[in-house]
């Protein structure tokens, strides 16, 4: 149970959000040139960290915007949230506003 | 090892119960073994049992970071079934069910396997059609299946909501009579005792901290109790697969760790005589031999290694349970817990080889690990002993996602949280 800080709406209960999975996976930059190995890595492979994880959430019961959240999968501690285009890494603990 | 029987029980009763000995030893680790199994849960212990019993490999150690059976084998809802559509799953889980049927005799340990039937409830005509298709597939694979209509379900369990106002009206169900439940701890302890009696070293409080690998071949493992050499190493660490495998250089496996909650009510006289799954409402329920109703729902919904659940899902599970069986509202919840599930990308497990010689992987069990315990150990032991998969697990490869040979029972795609 936790409270996520939506960049648009502020702090809201987790039940307002839908989970979108690992946000560190990168869609192949040039899909036409991507090899089957590139697609396999994007679609199927996961770091699945036991610790800090950057993940997609959608504020589906609120503003319906997607956001990135840095969250610890072992302790459920929350780090900061970011807009989709902003970089956010599992190691990034700067600017924590949670 | 003392053979357990009614005679030993009577003898113990007449001699002050002084005949009981330790069920297994507590050995110091040797400097090396033929085979090391990482993970002293159901699958790891079953693997050790079958390695020793069927393949004559007894110079084996099972390394467990905590205590035996302290992970998912002790944290599940103990349902056993083989009601699968796809051939690879059907044959594998049916083999498991057949092993369950003889397990108490095989282990000389009562695993309390109770074939009380598993019933999936259908809530629309198309869903019932889908169940008929799966039931027919099961029959073609030699597995028992019976399609029930609404009256058939009502005759078995009269206190579900059959009214006009039911949130999901019951149209019927698919029943597997040979399915049921078992005593979770007894499975771990039975396998442990049997493996130990055949010479396997069960080493507790021994966490693997690294692998020694040279020229693509495993030489042993670093542990909190020192280096232990091994010809072959098998990993059976369920939800912790990703980070244990990463120590061996196997990064980015097709697995995400999620948590699944289970709940137990206060004890009651017999009320639920079978196992029911209410897929439309994300709820399933059975009753333990102690009398508590054992039930659960879906995953909590996000990656997690925390063995604890969240409150919104507890509320959701109870709401779903009330929709199916309103009388549940009179009961109190007494216990709940969560286990870490190794969710694979197609909902099916991985049992087989890895790119590292001598290292074998057993993972990706999603919700289905408990019922698979005997066949998982049986197939993993075969794979390790023969250095190649058995026909029953040759489809469950690590690289099937590269070749497009997924075994996606639900057709949910590469979204682990949806399986």
């Amino acid at each position: 149970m936790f409270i996520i800080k939506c960049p648009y709406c502020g702090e809201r209960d987790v039940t307002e959000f839908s989970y979108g999975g690992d946000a560190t996976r990168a869609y192949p930059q040039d899909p036409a040139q991507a090899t089957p190995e590139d697609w396999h890595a994007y679609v199927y492979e996961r770091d699945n960290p036991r610790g800090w994880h950057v993940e997609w959430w959608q504020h589906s019961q609120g503003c319906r915007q997607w956001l990135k959240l840095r969250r610890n999968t072992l302790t459920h501690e929350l780090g900061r949230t970011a807009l989709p285009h902003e970089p956010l890494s599992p190691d990034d603990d700067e600017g924590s506003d949670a | 090892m003392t053979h357990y029987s009614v005679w030993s029980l009577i003898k113990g009763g007449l001699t002050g119960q002084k005949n009981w000995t330790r069920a297994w030893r507590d050995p110091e680790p040797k400097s090396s073994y033929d085979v090391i199994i990482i993970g002293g849960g159901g699958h790891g212990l079953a693997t050790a049992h079958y390695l020793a019993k069927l393949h004559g490999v007894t110079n084996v150690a099972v390394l467990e970071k905590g205590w035996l059976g302290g992970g998912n084998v002790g944290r599940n809802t103990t349902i056993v079934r083989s009601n699968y559509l796809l051939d690879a799953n059907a044959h594998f889980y049916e083999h498991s069910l057949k092993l369950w049927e003889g397990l108490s005799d095989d282990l000389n340990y009562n695993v309390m396997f109770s074939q009380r039937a598993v019933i999936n409830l259908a809530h629309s005509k198309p869903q019932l059609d889908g169940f008929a298709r799966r039931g027919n597939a099961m029959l073609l694979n030699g597995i028992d299946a019976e399609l029930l209509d609404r009256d058939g379900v009502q005759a078995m369990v009269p206190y579900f909501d059959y009214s006009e106002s039911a949130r999901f009206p019951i149209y019927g169900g698919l029943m597997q009579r040979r399915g049921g439940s078992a005593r979770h701890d007894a499975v771990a302890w039975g396998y442990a005792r049997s493996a130990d009696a055949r010479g396997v070293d069960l080493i507790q409080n021994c966490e693997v901290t690294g692998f020694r690998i040279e020229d693509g071949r495993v030489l042993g493992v670093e542990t909190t109790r020192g280096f232990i050499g091994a010809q072959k190493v098998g990993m059976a660490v369920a939800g912790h697969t990703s980070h244990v495998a990463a120590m061996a250089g196997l990064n980015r496996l097709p697995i995400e760790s999620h948590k699944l909650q289970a709940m137990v009510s206060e004890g009651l006289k017999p009320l639920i005589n079978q196992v029911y799954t209410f897929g439309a409402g994300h709820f399933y329920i059975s009753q333990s031999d102690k009398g508590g109703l054992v039930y659960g729902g879906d995953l909590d919904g996000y990656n997690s290694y925390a063995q604890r659940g969240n409150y919104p899902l507890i509320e959701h599970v109870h709401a779903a349970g009330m929709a199916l069986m309103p009388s549940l509202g009179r009961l109190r919840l007494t216990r709940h817990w969560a286990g870490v599930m190794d969710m694979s990308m197609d909902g099916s497990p991985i049992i087989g080889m890895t790119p590292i010689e001598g290292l074998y992987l057993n993972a990706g069990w999603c919700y289905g690990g408990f019922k698979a315990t005997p066949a998982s150990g049986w197939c993993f032991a075969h794979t390790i002993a023969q250095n190649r998969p058995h026909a029953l697990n040759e489809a469950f490869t690590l690289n099937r996602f590269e070749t497009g040979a997924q075994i996606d029972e639900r057709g949910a795609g590469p979204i682990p949280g949806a399986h």
Side-chain angles (χ1 to χ4, degrees):
Chain A
M1 187 71 185
F2 36 81
I3 290 169
I4 295 175
K5 185 165 183 179
C6 171
Y8 302 98
C9 311
E11 292 184 347
R12 296 301 176 96
D13 194 288
V14 67
T15 53
E16 292 186 15
F17 295 82
S18 306
Y19 185 62
D22 187 346
T24 62
R25 297 187 298 140
Y27 192 80
Q29 288 208 331
D30 183 356
Q33 298 299 318
T35 62
E37 289 74 27
D38 295 336
W39 287 112
H40 172 257
Y42 171 66
V43 175
Y44 293 109
E45 293 183 346
R46 301 287 191 278
D47 283 330
N48 193 25
R50 184 168 174 255
W52 290 103
H53 187 231
V54 173
E55 54 204 20
W56 292 113
W57 288 83
Q58 187 191 14
H59 195 186
S60 49
Q61 305 292 315
C63 64
R64 302 205 48 81
Q65 295 301 309
W66 284 91
L67 59 98
K68 286 182 188 170
L69 169 67
R70 186 169 166 270
R71 186 179 61 86
N72 191 308
T73 60
L74 187 59
T75 63
H76 290 180
E77 192 181 347
L78 299 191
R80 71 186 178 100
T81 49
L83 297 172
H85 63 273
E86 291 174 346
L88 186 61
S89 129
D91 307 321
D92 174 9
D93 58 354
E94 286 178 32
S96 173
D97 58 8
Chain B
M1 180 178 84
T2 316
H3 185 81
Y4 294 161
S5 71
V6 66
W7 306 117
S8 71
L9 206 58
I10 292 169
K11 187 178 159 212
L14 295 173
T15 55
Q17 304 291 358
K18 294 202 174 102
N19 61 325
W20 298 100
T21 54
R22 283 185 74 112
W24 52 81
R25 298 165 295 132
D26 184 21
E28 285 297 311
K30 292 193 271 186
S31 61
S32 73
Y33 291 92
D34 292 345
V35 176
I36 284 177
I37 306 294
I38 306 171
H43 292 213
L45 294 166
T47 305
H49 164 81
Y50 291 115
L51 272 172
K53 183 176 181 194
L54 301 179
H55 301 280
V57 183
T58 56
N59 187 20
V60 175
V62 177
L63 307 184
E64 166 56 46
K65 74 172 175 181
W67 62 92
L68 296 182
N72 288 351
V73 73
R75 304 180 80 87
N76 61 84
T77 50
T78 75
I79 294 164
V80 176
R81 59 187 175 85
S82 63
N83 52 359
Y84 283 79
L85 173 72
L86 302 177
D87 286 350
N89 281 333
H91 293 151
F92 174 81
Y93 286 107
E94 177 61 10
H95 182 64
S96 203
L97 186 52
K98 285 177 178 165
L99 290 170
W100 276 109
E101 287 172 332
L103 197 58
S104 291
D105 283 342
D106 184 23
L107 300 179
N108 179 230
Y109 203 100
N110 186 3
V111 299
M112 298 169 73
F113 181 47
S114 160
Q115 294 181 289
R116 58 184 68 179
V118 172
I119 296 158
N120 306 139
L121 297 172
H123 304 277
S124 68
K125 281 193 163 180
Q127 193 181 14
L128 198 56
D129 288 346
F131 282 2
R133 173 176 177 244
R134 178 152 55 90
N136 285 332
M138 289 164 64
L139 293 172
L140 288 169
N141 277 321
I143 303 168
D144 70 304
E146 289 169 55
L147 200 63
L148 300 175
D149 60 12
R150 179 187 169 88
D151 292 342
V153 176
Q154 193 161 7
M156 298 182 81
V157 51
Y159 29 75
F160 286 161
D161 187 353
Y162 298 94
S163 70
E164 290 301 312
S165 61
R167 174 66 184 86
F168 294 103
I170 294 169
Y171 276 69
L174 181 64
M175 173 165 67
Q176 185 181 23
R177 278 191 197 274
R178 288 165 58 243
S181 69
R183 164 116 171 83
H184 48 6
D185 290 331
V187 179
W189 298 337
Y191 274 121
R193 177 171 166 271
S194 173
D196 175 83
R198 290 180 161 85
V200 172
D201 282 357
L202 308 176
I203 300 165
Q204 304 179 70
N205 299 310
C206 181
E207 182 174 358
V208 170
T209 55
F211 288 81
R212 194 174 291 178
I213 294 166
E214 277 176 24
D215 301 326
R217 171 158 191 94
V218 71
L219 301 177
V221 293
E222 306 286 351
T223 76
T224 50
R225 293 171 74 168
F227 173 78
I228 307 175
Q231 314 258 329
K232 297 175 177 179
V233 177
M235 277 176 46
V237 296
H240 297 278
T241 297
S242 289
H243 68 263
V244 176
M247 293 178 202
L250 295 174
N251 293 305
R252 294 181 64 78
L253 293 179
I255 288 174
E256 283 184 10
S257 296
H258 286 251
K259 62 193 155 79
L260 183 67
Q261 297 193 56
M263 288 146 237
V264 178
S265 79
E266 58 195 307
L268 299 169
K269 288 185 177 179
L271 178 71
I272 301 272
N273 298 321
Q274 297 84 19
V275 179
Y276 289 92
T277 72
F278 173 40
H282 307 161
F283 180 79
Y284 64 96
I285 188 165
S286 62
Q287 188 168 15
S288 78
D289 291 344
K290 267 197 310 196
L293 299 183
V294 184
Y295 53 93
D298 273 354
L299 295 172
D300 273 20
Y302 43 81
N303 290 46
S304 177
Y305 285 87
Q307 285 180 315
R308 60 179 187 273
N310 69 29
Y311 286 113
L313 200 100
I314 297 173
E315 185 176 3
H316 175 76
V317 166
H318 286 95
M322 291 280 288
L324 176 69
M325 190 173 160
S327 55
L328 279 182
R330 301 294 296 274
L331 288 175
R332 283 167 294 191
L333 171 68
T334 52
R335 293 186 289 132
H336 87 102
W337 65 92
V340 183
M341 308 286 114
D342 35 339
M343 301 300 297
S344 69
M345 290 290 152
D346 60 359
S348 296
I350 296 160
I351 323 172
M353 326 287 286
T354 70
I356 296 162
E357 204 181 327
L359 182 65
Y360 305 84
L361 181 64
N362 178 322
W365 290 99
C366 301
Y367 317 136
F370 182 74
K371 63 178 173 288
T373 303
S376 166
W378 195 93
C379 289
F380 202 38
H382 183 280
T383 305
I384 292 170
Q386 312 285 331
N387 199 33
R388 60 185 160 81
H390 187 271
L392 285 168
N393 66 310
E394 65 183 357
F396 299 118
T397 59
L398 177 59
N399 70 353
R400 66 178 181 268
F401 305 97
E402 293 170 47
T403 58
Q406 292 93 328
I407 307 161
D408 193 341
E409 185 80 18
R410 284 182 66 174
I415 302 164
H419 287 291

